[in-house]
Amino acid sequence: MNEVIIISAISCISLIALVLIKPNININGRAYSIYWLAPLFGAIVLIVFECIDPLMVINSLVSSGEFNPIKILILFLSMTIISVFLDSVGFFRRLASTVLLKAHTSQIALFVYLYIMVSVLTVFTSNDIIVLTFTPFICYFARSAGISAIPYLVCEFIAANIWSMALIIGNPTNIYIAANAGITFAKYFSVMLLPTLLAGIVSFIVLYLLFKRQLKAPMQVNIDECQITVKPLVKIGLIHLTLCIILLCVASYINLPMWLISFFFCMSLLITAAIYLIVHRRGMRILFEVIKRAPWDVVPFVISMFIIVLTIEKCGISQKLSDILSGQNAVAAFGISSFVTANIVNNIPMSVLFSSVTNGISGSQQVAAQFASIIGSNLGAFLTPIGALAGIMWMGMLKDHGVKLSFIKFAEYGAAVSIPALAAALVGLIIRLN
């Protein structure tokens, strides 16, 4: 057991170090992140030193149940590719420019429009995609209008991570914990709607109070409305996304696994788009770009963390954590502990660990613990940049665009919003489950 604890701890500490240092490797002029090497090395060491049976790992990876990291990754990557496709054909950029132009010279109106737009889009796509798509646009817009980008960037990042709680597909942490718990798409939404609404309302109020003085300054809008050059591809993408979400909502009633539904629509989208591009002789550059932009580094990261947590569970460590936390109110204990843990080891490893920990609890306490952990995994993402991989990438993007936002300043804004939002969400969960 001691070896498992030491190896796992070193893996997590190394992960944090790599996330903070942000080293990359360059292949053919393209930079690739290597944060996943830390957990991958840890998982290999655990297998080599026989801390876990390789056969057990293989059986877990190919198991027929929904709690299977391969199926979870297929679900996440399929939905991400659909979102990246819509971004690549200009849908999000056009929508952003249209909404921002409606603000005219009012920063307050712009702030409200941006929060609403990011929130709605995040619900139906993915928080990571929305953050990475809107950040460059906001930086460009702020420079053109002669205003500070910070209020809008913070607004965007927080809205994306709060409203990602609403549906399973909003965040890979939702997918992982819900799949482990056997929570259906419809059941998830029915429980998480109220906590998300309350956290969203509280977060907007706090954000407005934080930035209202800056938002009173006038601005000059100097931006052209973005045009979509290939409208048929946007229609194809939206149709596939809409039908996919509808089927995901009724998946449990038609006895179809969510990973299979999302995979089917992802493949259908790529094939349909390829046929259109071939027929109209436009080349396949768009599709190649979509495939390249998909977060493939999540694959070794999630599988490695799964192996580490599987080893921890085998040694009985997860059960001891369950015993400690189960003696408290499940909503408060798991909501707060997952929120804090996400900022120690990142929210994806936290979700893998807490999926295992919640297995040691039974009855209504287990359901409360699972949903509270989901809340912590989403809201913990904006307490510090370490809370989510999107936060690390986001901070790097701000630096590239010349926007200064220190770790300390991020944490100040994060604490001011995330703590009351967490309280509101947990109260909403208690109301919903009682």
Side-chain angles (χ1 to χ4, degrees), residues 186-202:
K187 173 63 181 298
Y188 179 97
F189 177 68
S190 68
V191 173
M192 289 302 297
L193 178 59
L194 181 59
T196 303
L197 284 173
L198 292 180
I201 293 169
V202 169

Side-chain angles (χ1 to χ4, degrees), residues 172-173 298 301-302 305 345-353 387 389:
T173 61
V298 170
F301 178 66
V302 169
M305 290 306 304
V345 299
N346 190 264
N347 63 351
I348 293 182
M350 181 282 294
S351 299
V352 177
L353 174 61
L389 292 176

Side-chain angles (χ1 to χ4, degrees), residues 74-333:
I74 290 173
L75 172 57
F76 170 65
L77 288 171
S78 297
M79 295 306 301
T80 300
I81 288 172
I82 294 174
S83 297
V84 170
F85 177 86
L86 284 168
D87 178 40
S88 296
V89 296
F91 172 70
F92 294 132
R93 197 170 186 80
R94 169 61 186 275
L95 186 60
S97 66
T98 301
V99 171
L100 296 182
L101 281 169
K102 292 184 181 298
H104 300 297
T105 59
S106 171
Q107 286 205 65
I108 293 177
L110 173 61
F111 191 80
V112 173
Y113 289 154
L114 180 68
Y115 185 89
I116 294 173
M117 179 172 54
V118 170
S119 300
V120 172
L121 289 175
T122 298
V123 169
F124 297 105
T125 54
S126 162
N127 62 341
D128 292 349
I129 296 301
I130 297 302
V131 166
L132 300 180
T133 298
F134 275 67
T135 296
F137 188 85
I138 291 173
C139 293
Y140 166 72
F141 180 87
R143 282 197 304 270
S144 300
I147 58 177
S148 171
I150 295 298
Y152 305 99
L153 290 167
V154 174
C155 171
E156 164 219 31
F157 191 79
I158 289 176
N161 282 287
I162 285 182
W163 291 91
S164 62
M165 293 192 300
L167 297 181
I168 286 179
I169 60 175
N171 196 324
T173 61
N174 304 349
I175 296 171
Y176 204 97
I177 296 176
N180 172 48
I183 299 170
T184 65
F185 192 98
K187 173 63 181 298
Y188 179 97
F189 177 68
S190 68
V191 173
M192 289 302 297
L193 178 59
L194 181 59
T196 303
L197 284 173
L198 292 180
I201 293 169
V202 169
S203 69
F204 178 78
I205 293 172
V206 176
L207 282 169
Y208 177 75
L209 293 175
L210 281 174
F211 297 115
K212 67 176 182 179
R213 185 171 298 176
Q214 295 182 53
L215 296 176
K216 290 180 180 179
M219 68 174 180
Q220 180 63 46
V221 177
N222 295 310
I223 191 168
D224 296 325
E225 188 169 15
C226 297
Q227 298 299 319
I228 295 175
T229 56
V230 193
K231 291 183 180 179
L233 289 182
V234 173
K235 293 178 181 179
I236 290 171
L238 288 175
I239 289 171
H240 277 80
L241 176 62
T242 303
L243 292 176
C244 182
I245 290 175
I246 290 173
L247 277 183
L248 287 174
C249 289
V250 298
S252 61
Y253 303 104
I254 59 178
N255 199 29
L256 279 177
M258 290 190 295
W259 70 269
L260 187 59
I261 292 172
S262 62
F263 181 71
F264 170 80
F265 278 102
C266 177
M267 291 297 101
S268 173
L269 171 61
L270 294 177
I271 293 170
T272 306
I275 293 172
Y276 174 87
L277 292 170
I278 292 171
V279 170
H280 292 81
R281 299 180 181 180
R282 288 181 172 268
M284 307 298 286
R285 184 183 60 81
I286 291 177
L287 293 187
F288 290 146
E289 186 63 27
V290 168
I291 299 301
K292 285 171 62 177
R293 287 181 57 194
W296 300 109
D297 50 0
V298 170
V299 176
F301 178 66
V302 169
I303 291 177
S304 300
M305 290 306 304
F306 177 81
I307 293 172
I308 291 173
V309 172
L310 192 66
T311 309
I312 289 174
E313 186 176 21
K314 173 179 169 289
C315 294
I317 299 172
S318 295
Q319 185 58 53
K320 289 184 178 181
L321 289 174
S322 296
D323 295 339
I324 294 171
L325 294 174
S326 62
Q328 315 297 323
N329 176 279
V331 171

